[in-house]
Amino acid sequence: MLRNIASNGFTFRDPTAPGDYSRDSKPGCVIAAPSFPLQTPGIDQDYVFNWVRDGAITAMEVARAGMPAGPDGTVATLNDYVQFADLCHANARPTKGHACFRLDGESRPWTEQNDGPALQSITILAAYDQLDIGTQKQAVGLVNSNTAFLLDVYKQATTNLWEEHNGLTFFARAAQLRCFEEIQATKIVGINKPTGLKPAMKWLREALEGHWDGAKYVSMMADPGGGAQPSPQHPIGDGYDPNIDIVQAALYGAVSFTDTKLLATAAQLRSQWEEGGAAFYPVNRTDREQHGIGPLFGRYPGDTYDGDTSDANFVGHPWALSTCNVAELHYKLAAEIKSAGTIPLDDLSAPFFAQSRIDASTTPQAAAEALVATGDDMMQAVIYHSDHLELSEQFDSTTGYERSVRNLTWSYAAYLSAMRARAEAV
Protein backbone atom coordinates (compact mmCIF):
# COMPACT_ATOMS: atom_id res chain seq x y z
CA MET A 1 0.00 0.00 0.00
CA LEU A 2 2.80 2.39 0.88
CA ARG A 3 4.20 2.03 -2.65
CA ASN A 4 1.17 3.98 -3.83
CA ILE A 5 1.84 7.00 -1.56
CA ALA A 6 4.24 9.64 -2.89
CA SER A 7 6.88 11.17 -0.62
CA ASN A 8 9.64 13.75 -0.99
CA GLY A 9 11.99 11.09 -2.37
CA PHE A 10 9.48 8.78 -4.05
CA THR A 11 7.53 10.38 -6.88
CA PHE A 12 5.14 9.38 -9.62
CA ARG A 13 5.24 10.75 -13.14
CA ASP A 14 1.98 11.73 -14.80
CA PRO A 15 1.55 9.08 -17.54
CA THR A 16 -0.54 11.50 -19.61
CA ALA A 17 2.30 14.07 -19.63
CA PRO A 18 5.54 12.07 -19.35
CA GLY A 19 7.76 14.97 -20.43
CA ASP A 20 6.24 17.56 -18.11
CA TYR A 21 8.10 17.22 -14.81
CA SER A 22 6.02 20.02 -13.28
CA ARG A 23 3.18 17.52 -13.10
CA ASP A 24 5.15 15.02 -11.01
CA SER A 25 3.51 13.99 -7.77
CA LYS A 26 3.68 16.08 -4.63
CA PRO A 27 4.45 14.34 -1.31
CA GLY A 28 1.32 12.86 0.24
CA CYS A 29 -0.41 12.10 -3.05
CA VAL A 30 -2.17 8.72 -2.81
CA ILE A 31 -2.72 7.17 -6.22
CA ALA A 32 -5.67 4.81 -6.61
CA ALA A 33 -3.47 2.28 -8.43
CA PRO A 34 -0.31 2.34 -10.58
CA SER A 35 -2.29 1.27 -13.65
CA PHE A 36 -2.71 3.19 -16.90
CA PRO A 37 -3.37 1.99 -20.47
CA LEU A 38 0.19 2.13 -21.83
CA GLN A 39 1.42 -0.02 -18.96
CA THR A 40 -1.45 -2.51 -18.81
CA PRO A 41 -2.39 -3.81 -22.27
CA GLY A 42 -6.10 -4.57 -22.63
CA ILE A 43 -7.06 -2.16 -19.86
CA ASP A 44 -8.15 1.35 -20.80
CA GLN A 45 -8.58 2.62 -17.23
CA ASP A 46 -6.20 5.25 -15.82
CA TYR A 47 -6.06 5.11 -12.01
CA VAL A 48 -2.94 7.25 -11.56
CA PHE A 49 -4.89 10.02 -9.82
CA ASN A 50 -5.65 11.02 -6.24
CA TRP A 51 -9.25 10.39 -5.18
CA VAL A 52 -10.21 12.17 -1.96
CA ARG A 53 -12.14 9.16 -0.64
CA ASP A 54 -9.47 6.57 -1.44
CA GLY A 55 -6.75 8.79 -0.02
CA ALA A 56 -8.62 9.26 3.26
CA ILE A 57 -9.31 5.55 3.66
CA THR A 58 -5.65 4.79 2.96
CA ALA A 59 -4.28 7.46 5.30
CA MET A 60 -6.57 6.15 8.03
CA GLU A 61 -4.68 2.86 7.92
CA VAL A 62 -1.37 4.71 8.19
CA ALA A 63 -2.74 6.65 11.17
CA ARG A 64 -3.91 3.45 12.89
CA ALA A 65 -0.76 1.44 12.17
CA GLY A 66 1.58 3.04 14.73
CA MET A 67 4.15 3.93 12.09
CA PRO A 68 7.69 4.72 13.29
CA ALA A 69 8.01 8.41 14.11
CA GLY A 70 10.80 10.62 12.84
CA PRO A 71 13.27 12.61 14.98
CA ASP A 72 10.55 15.21 15.63
CA GLY A 73 8.18 12.56 16.97
CA THR A 74 5.78 12.80 14.01
CA VAL A 75 4.94 10.53 11.07
CA ALA A 76 6.19 12.00 7.79
CA THR A 77 3.64 10.15 5.65
CA LEU A 78 0.77 11.71 7.60
CA ASN A 79 2.30 15.19 7.47
CA ASP A 80 2.59 14.75 3.71
CA TYR A 81 -0.98 13.50 3.42
CA VAL A 82 -2.48 16.48 5.24
CA GLN A 83 -0.38 18.98 3.31
CA PHE A 84 -1.37 17.43 -0.03
CA ALA A 85 -5.02 17.23 1.02
CA ASP A 86 -4.89 20.93 1.88
CA LEU A 87 -3.36 21.69 -1.54
CA CYS A 88 -6.12 19.76 -3.32
CA HIS A 89 -8.75 21.50 -1.20
CA ALA A 90 -7.39 24.88 -2.25
CA ASN A 91 -7.51 23.80 -5.92
CA ALA A 92 -10.92 22.11 -5.73
CA ARG A 93 -13.23 23.20 -8.56
CA PRO A 94 -16.14 23.72 -8.92
CA THR A 95 -16.92 22.84 -5.28
CA LYS A 96 -15.02 21.68 -2.20
CA GLY A 97 -16.57 18.27 -2.78
CA HIS A 98 -14.51 17.69 -5.92
CA ALA A 99 -13.48 14.06 -5.91
CA CYS A 100 -10.37 13.57 -8.06
CA PHE A 101 -7.04 15.37 -8.51
CA ARG A 102 -3.89 15.10 -10.56
CA LEU A 103 -0.59 14.06 -9.00
CA ASP A 104 0.40 17.71 -8.56
CA GLY A 105 -2.78 18.56 -6.67
CA GLU A 106 -4.63 20.28 -9.53
CA SER A 107 -8.30 19.44 -10.11
CA ARG A 108 -9.03 16.82 -12.72
CA PRO A 109 -12.35 17.14 -14.57
CA TRP A 110 -14.51 14.77 -12.53
CA THR A 111 -17.56 14.59 -10.26
CA GLU A 112 -18.53 16.20 -6.96
CA GLN A 113 -18.76 13.63 -4.15
CA ASN A 114 -19.72 14.96 -0.74
CA ASP A 115 -18.58 11.90 1.17
CA GLY A 116 -14.93 12.81 0.45
CA PRO A 117 -14.59 15.87 2.71
CA ALA A 118 -16.29 13.93 5.52
CA LEU A 119 -13.93 10.94 5.29
CA GLN A 120 -10.95 13.27 4.95
CA SER A 121 -11.91 15.10 8.15
CA ILE A 122 -12.41 11.82 10.04
CA THR A 123 -8.93 10.70 9.01
CA ILE A 124 -7.29 14.02 9.90
CA LEU A 125 -8.82 13.94 13.38
CA ALA A 126 -7.45 10.42 13.87
CA ALA A 127 -3.98 11.43 12.63
CA TYR A 128 -3.76 14.78 14.45
CA ASP A 129 -1.47 13.67 17.32
CA GLN A 130 1.05 12.28 14.81
CA LEU A 131 1.42 15.59 12.91
CA ASP A 132 4.01 18.32 13.39
CA ILE A 133 2.88 21.68 14.76
CA GLY A 134 2.75 23.43 11.40
CA THR A 135 0.75 20.63 9.82
CA GLN A 136 -1.60 20.54 12.79
CA LYS A 137 -2.51 24.15 12.04
CA GLN A 138 -3.20 23.20 8.41
CA ALA A 139 -5.24 20.25 9.63
CA VAL A 140 -7.46 22.40 11.83
CA GLY A 141 -8.08 24.87 9.02
CA LEU A 142 -8.89 22.08 6.56
CA VAL A 143 -11.32 20.34 8.91
CA ASN A 144 -13.06 23.63 9.69
CA SER A 145 -13.41 24.40 5.99
CA ASN A 146 -14.77 20.90 5.30
CA THR A 147 -17.28 21.29 8.13
CA ALA A 148 -18.55 24.59 6.77
CA PHE A 149 -18.90 23.08 3.29
CA LEU A 150 -20.71 19.96 4.52
CA LEU A 151 -23.17 21.96 6.60
CA ASP A 152 -24.18 23.71 3.39
CA VAL A 153 -24.64 20.55 1.29
CA TYR A 154 -25.54 17.60 3.55
CA LYS A 155 -29.22 17.70 2.53
CA GLN A 156 -28.38 17.76 -1.17
CA ALA A 157 -27.98 15.00 -3.75
CA THR A 158 -24.41 14.04 -4.66
CA THR A 159 -22.52 11.58 -6.87
CA ASN A 160 -22.43 8.20 -5.19
CA LEU A 161 -19.55 6.03 -4.01
CA TRP A 162 -19.27 4.16 -7.32
CA GLU A 163 -19.38 7.37 -9.39
CA GLU A 164 -22.32 6.17 -11.47
CA HIS A 165 -25.40 8.04 -10.24
CA ASN A 166 -26.35 11.32 -8.61
CA GLY A 167 -28.89 11.21 -5.83
CA LEU A 168 -29.46 10.88 -2.10
CA THR A 169 -26.91 8.29 -1.02
CA PHE A 170 -26.90 6.20 2.13
CA PHE A 171 -23.11 6.03 2.20
CA ALA A 172 -22.52 9.78 1.90
CA ARG A 173 -25.08 10.49 4.59
CA ALA A 174 -23.51 7.94 6.95
CA ALA A 175 -20.02 9.40 6.35
CA GLN A 176 -21.26 12.94 6.94
CA LEU A 177 -23.02 11.90 10.14
CA ARG A 178 -19.87 10.26 11.51
CA CYS A 179 -17.84 13.32 10.57
CA PHE A 180 -20.21 15.65 12.42
CA GLU A 181 -20.30 13.35 15.45
CA GLU A 182 -16.51 13.21 15.69
CA ILE A 183 -16.16 16.96 15.25
CA GLN A 184 -18.71 17.52 18.01
CA ALA A 185 -16.80 15.13 20.31
CA THR A 186 -13.21 16.20 19.58
CA LYS A 187 -11.11 18.09 22.11
CA ILE A 188 -8.63 19.38 19.53
CA VAL A 189 -8.09 23.09 20.09
CA GLY A 190 -9.27 25.26 17.21
CA ILE A 191 -11.81 22.86 15.72
CA ASN A 192 -15.02 24.80 15.17
CA LYS A 193 -18.31 23.38 16.43
CA PRO A 194 -20.99 25.43 14.68
CA THR A 195 -24.49 25.54 16.10
CA GLY A 196 -25.71 23.77 12.98
CA LEU A 197 -23.92 20.52 13.89
CA LYS A 198 -26.53 19.09 16.25
CA PRO A 199 -29.57 19.71 14.03
CA ALA A 200 -27.59 18.33 11.07
CA MET A 201 -26.84 15.14 12.98
CA LYS A 202 -30.50 14.72 13.92
CA TRP A 203 -31.56 15.29 10.30
CA LEU A 204 -29.01 12.79 8.94
CA ARG A 205 -30.04 10.06 11.42
CA GLU A 206 -33.64 10.44 10.32
CA ALA A 207 -32.63 10.55 6.65
CA LEU A 208 -30.72 7.25 6.99
CA GLU A 209 -33.82 5.59 8.44
CA GLY A 210 -35.69 6.78 5.37
CA HIS A 211 -33.61 4.44 3.18
CA TRP A 212 -35.28 1.36 4.72
CA ASP A 213 -37.76 -0.20 2.29
CA GLY A 214 -39.08 -2.83 4.67
CA ALA A 215 -36.54 -5.49 3.73
CA LYS A 216 -33.19 -3.71 3.18
CA TYR A 217 -31.45 -0.36 3.18
CA VAL A 218 -31.61 1.16 -0.31
CA SER A 219 -28.31 2.56 -1.56
CA MET A 220 -29.68 5.61 -3.38
CA MET A 221 -32.94 7.49 -3.70
CA ALA A 222 -33.98 10.14 -6.17
CA ASP A 223 -34.59 13.68 -4.98
CA PRO A 224 -38.20 14.33 -6.07
CA GLY A 225 -37.73 18.08 -5.75
CA GLY A 226 -40.32 20.63 -4.78
CA GLY A 227 -39.93 19.80 -1.12
CA ALA A 228 -41.37 16.29 -1.54
CA GLN A 229 -39.96 13.47 0.55
CA PRO A 230 -37.81 10.86 -1.23
CA SER A 231 -39.04 7.29 -1.10
CA PRO A 232 -37.03 4.04 -0.82
CA GLN A 233 -39.67 2.57 -3.11
CA HIS A 234 -38.10 4.63 -5.91
CA PRO A 235 -34.38 3.85 -5.76
CA ILE A 236 -31.87 5.02 -8.34
CA GLY A 237 -30.37 2.41 -10.63
CA ASP A 238 -31.77 -0.86 -11.92
CA GLY A 239 -30.17 -3.86 -10.18
CA TYR A 240 -28.41 -1.56 -7.70
CA ASP A 241 -29.60 -3.18 -4.49
CA PRO A 242 -28.58 -4.79 -2.24
CA ASN A 243 -25.39 -2.72 -2.57
CA ILE A 244 -22.11 -3.28 -0.74
CA ASP A 245 -21.94 0.42 0.09
CA ILE A 246 -24.46 -0.23 2.87
CA VAL A 247 -21.85 -2.34 4.69
CA GLN A 248 -19.24 0.30 3.93
CA ALA A 249 -21.52 2.88 5.54
CA ALA A 250 -21.01 1.01 8.82
CA LEU A 251 -17.24 0.67 8.43
CA TYR A 252 -16.53 4.22 7.29
CA GLY A 253 -19.68 5.96 8.49
CA ALA A 254 -21.95 6.17 11.52
CA VAL A 255 -24.22 3.13 11.05
CA SER A 256 -24.08 0.76 14.04
CA PHE A 257 -22.71 -2.74 13.51
CA THR A 258 -25.58 -4.07 15.65
CA ASP A 259 -28.26 -2.36 13.52
CA THR A 260 -30.46 -5.31 12.61
CA LYS A 261 -31.62 -3.56 9.43
CA LEU A 262 -27.98 -3.37 8.35
CA LEU A 263 -27.56 -7.07 9.12
CA ALA A 264 -30.70 -7.92 7.14
CA THR A 265 -29.20 -6.10 4.17
CA ALA A 266 -25.83 -7.84 4.63
CA ALA A 267 -27.55 -11.24 4.61
CA GLN A 268 -29.12 -10.45 1.24
CA LEU A 269 -25.76 -9.28 -0.09
CA ARG A 270 -24.22 -12.66 0.66
CA SER A 271 -27.16 -14.64 -0.70
CA GLN A 272 -27.15 -12.91 -4.08
CA TRP A 273 -23.57 -14.03 -4.84
CA GLU A 274 -23.81 -17.57 -3.51
CA GLU A 275 -25.26 -20.51 -5.40
CA GLY A 276 -28.89 -19.90 -6.24
CA GLY A 277 -28.52 -16.13 -5.93
CA ALA A 278 -29.48 -13.63 -8.60
CA ALA A 279 -25.84 -12.69 -9.25
CA PHE A 280 -24.16 -16.03 -8.45
CA TYR A 281 -20.37 -16.18 -8.83
CA PRO A 282 -19.26 -19.69 -9.92
CA VAL A 283 -15.94 -19.19 -8.10
CA ASN A 284 -17.81 -19.17 -4.80
CA ARG A 285 -19.08 -22.70 -5.39
CA THR A 286 -15.59 -23.92 -6.32
CA ASP A 287 -14.04 -22.28 -3.28
CA ARG A 288 -16.62 -23.75 -0.94
CA GLU A 289 -16.47 -27.28 -2.35
CA GLN A 290 -12.70 -27.54 -2.86
CA HIS A 291 -11.27 -25.34 -0.13
CA GLY A 292 -14.00 -24.52 2.38
CA ILE A 293 -13.38 -20.78 2.00
CA GLY A 294 -15.32 -17.73 0.86
CA PRO A 295 -17.59 -16.36 -0.36
CA LEU A 296 -16.22 -13.45 -2.37
CA PHE A 297 -18.37 -10.31 -2.65
CA GLY A 298 -18.94 -7.78 -5.43
CA ARG A 299 -20.51 -4.32 -5.47
CA TYR A 300 -24.16 -4.86 -6.47
CA PRO A 301 -26.12 -7.47 -8.46
CA GLY A 302 -26.39 -5.53 -11.74
CA ASP A 303 -22.72 -4.54 -11.90
CA THR A 304 -21.29 -4.52 -15.44
CA TYR A 305 -17.89 -2.91 -14.81
CA ASP A 306 -15.04 -5.42 -15.13
CA GLY A 307 -12.26 -2.94 -14.36
CA ASP A 308 -10.65 -3.50 -17.76
CA THR A 309 -12.61 -1.16 -19.99
CA SER A 310 -15.28 1.49 -19.66
CA ASP A 311 -17.63 -0.62 -21.79
CA ALA A 312 -20.32 -2.61 -19.98
CA ASN A 313 -19.56 -6.35 -20.12
CA PHE A 314 -22.79 -7.60 -18.50
CA VAL A 315 -20.83 -9.84 -16.13
CA GLY A 316 -20.00 -8.60 -12.64
CA HIS A 317 -17.02 -9.78 -10.65
CA PRO A 318 -16.10 -9.94 -6.97
CA TRP A 319 -13.88 -7.23 -5.50
CA ALA A 320 -11.12 -7.70 -2.93
CA LEU A 321 -12.16 -4.64 -0.95
CA SER A 322 -15.84 -5.66 -0.89
CA THR A 323 -14.96 -9.06 0.53
CA CYS A 324 -12.63 -7.57 3.14
CA ASN A 325 -15.33 -5.07 4.12
CA VAL A 326 -17.90 -7.80 4.79
CA ALA A 327 -15.33 -9.82 6.74
CA GLU A 328 -14.63 -6.73 8.83
CA LEU A 329 -18.34 -6.36 9.56
CA HIS A 330 -18.27 -9.86 11.05
CA TYR A 331 -15.19 -9.05 13.15
CA LYS A 332 -16.64 -5.76 14.39
CA LEU A 333 -19.92 -7.40 15.28
CA ALA A 334 -18.09 -10.19 17.12
CA ALA A 335 -16.25 -7.62 19.24
CA GLU A 336 -19.53 -5.80 20.00
CA ILE A 337 -21.21 -9.04 21.09
CA LYS A 338 -18.29 -10.02 23.34
CA SER A 339 -18.32 -6.58 24.95
CA ALA A 340 -22.09 -6.34 25.44
CA GLY A 341 -22.71 -9.99 26.24
CA THR A 342 -25.81 -10.02 24.05
CA ILE A 343 -26.61 -10.93 20.44
CA PRO A 344 -28.72 -8.45 18.40
CA LEU A 345 -30.93 -11.27 17.17
CA ASP A 346 -34.43 -10.52 15.91
CA ASP A 347 -36.58 -11.37 12.91
CA LEU A 348 -34.59 -8.97 10.71
CA SER A 349 -31.12 -10.16 11.68
CA ALA A 350 -31.91 -13.88 11.96
CA PRO A 351 -30.97 -14.65 8.31
CA PHE A 352 -27.59 -12.95 8.78
CA PHE A 353 -26.78 -14.93 11.92
CA ALA A 354 -28.03 -18.15 10.34
CA GLN A 355 -25.28 -17.80 7.72
CA SER A 356 -22.83 -18.37 10.61
CA ARG A 357 -25.01 -21.07 12.23
CA ILE A 358 -26.06 -18.77 15.06
CA ASP A 359 -29.59 -18.93 16.50
CA ALA A 360 -31.44 -18.16 19.72
CA SER A 361 -29.72 -21.06 21.51
CA THR A 362 -26.19 -19.77 20.77
CA THR A 363 -24.27 -18.12 23.61
CA PRO A 364 -22.69 -14.70 23.01
CA GLN A 365 -19.19 -16.16 23.29
CA ALA A 366 -19.97 -18.91 20.78
CA ALA A 367 -21.63 -16.38 18.47
CA ALA A 368 -18.56 -14.15 18.54
CA GLU A 369 -16.33 -17.11 17.70
CA ALA A 370 -18.62 -18.18 14.86
CA LEU A 371 -18.61 -14.66 13.37
CA VAL A 372 -14.82 -14.54 13.48
CA ALA A 373 -14.67 -17.91 11.72
CA THR A 374 -17.03 -16.64 9.01
CA GLY A 375 -14.88 -13.56 8.49
CA ASP A 376 -11.78 -15.74 8.34
CA ASP A 377 -13.29 -17.83 5.53
CA MET A 378 -13.81 -14.66 3.49
CA MET A 379 -10.32 -13.34 4.17
CA GLN A 380 -8.80 -16.71 3.27
CA ALA A 381 -10.50 -16.46 -0.13
CA VAL A 382 -8.91 -13.05 -0.70
CA ILE A 383 -5.49 -14.43 0.23
CA TYR A 384 -5.96 -17.57 -1.87
CA HIS A 385 -6.90 -15.64 -5.00
CA SER A 386 -4.29 -12.89 -4.55
CA ASP A 387 -1.20 -12.86 -6.75
CA HIS A 388 1.38 -13.78 -4.11
CA LEU A 389 -0.33 -11.34 -1.70
CA GLU A 390 -0.62 -8.53 -4.25
CA LEU A 391 -4.21 -7.39 -4.73
CA SER A 392 -5.87 -6.07 -7.86
CA GLU A 393 -9.29 -4.44 -7.89
CA GLN A 394 -11.28 -7.55 -8.85
CA PHE A 395 -11.23 -11.34 -9.10
CA ASP A 396 -12.71 -13.17 -12.07
CA SER A 397 -16.16 -14.45 -11.11
CA THR A 398 -15.51 -17.86 -12.70
CA THR A 399 -11.77 -18.60 -12.50
CA GLY A 400 -10.94 -16.55 -9.40
CA TYR A 401 -7.81 -15.14 -11.02
CA GLU A 402 -7.07 -11.46 -10.41
CA ARG A 403 -8.25 -9.07 -13.08
CA SER A 404 -8.63 -5.33 -13.75
CA VAL A 405 -6.22 -2.69 -12.46
CA ARG A 406 -3.37 -4.06 -10.39
CA ASN A 407 -2.34 -3.10 -6.87
CA LEU A 408 -5.47 -1.16 -5.99
CA THR A 409 -4.61 0.95 -2.94
CA TRP A 410 -8.08 0.61 -1.42
CA SER A 411 -7.82 -3.20 -1.62
CA TYR A 412 -4.82 -3.10 0.72
CA ALA A 413 -6.43 -0.54 3.02
CA ALA A 414 -9.55 -2.70 3.30
CA TYR A 415 -7.46 -5.79 4.06
CA LEU A 416 -5.47 -4.00 6.76
CA SER A 417 -8.61 -2.52 8.31
CA ALA A 418 -10.19 -5.97 8.48
CA MET A 419 -7.08 -7.37 10.17
CA ARG A 420 -7.17 -4.61 12.78
CA ALA A 421 -10.81 -5.45 13.45
CA ARG A 422 -9.98 -9.14 13.76
CA ALA A 423 -7.27 -8.42 16.34
CA GLU A 424 -9.82 -6.48 18.39
CA ALA A 425 -12.36 -9.32 18.12
CA VAL A 426 -10.04 -12.09 19.29
Side-chain angles (χ1 to χ4, degrees), residues 287-326:
D287 282 352
R288 175 176 50 80
E289 292 178 348
Q290 297 188 10
H291 310 292
I293 59 177
L296 296 169
F297 288 73
R299 299 192 300 174
Y300 52 88
D303 198 358
T304 61
Y305 176 60
D306 66 1
D308 292 344
T309 70
S310 56
D311 297 328
N313 67 70
F314 305 108
V315 178
H317 298 282
W319 287 46
L321 69 91
S322 296
T323 307
C324 292
N325 287 161
V326 179

Side-chain angles (χ1 to χ4, degrees), residues 98 137 256 307 392 398:
H98 196 68
K137 292 180 180 178
S256 171
S392 294
T398 300

Side-chain angles (χ1 to χ4, degrees), residues 175-232:
Q176 291 164 359
L177 176 56
R178 179 180 171 186
C179 175
F180 290 161
E181 288 178 343
E182 296 198 5
I183 288 169
Q184 187 66 41
T186 188
K187 296 180 180 179
I188 295 174
V189 175
I191 296 293
N192 295 335
K193 301 182 181 183
T195 56
L197 276 180
K198 289 184 178 179
M201 288 187 283
K202 180 177 184 294
W203 189 93
L204 285 166
R205 290 189 194 101
E206 293 173 352
L208 288 171
E209 287 298 319
H211 284 256
W212 178 252
D213 72 354
K216 63 184 178 300
Y217 279 130
V218 171
S219 173
M220 297 191 71
M221 297 185 297
D223 183 354
Q229 289 296 313
S231 170

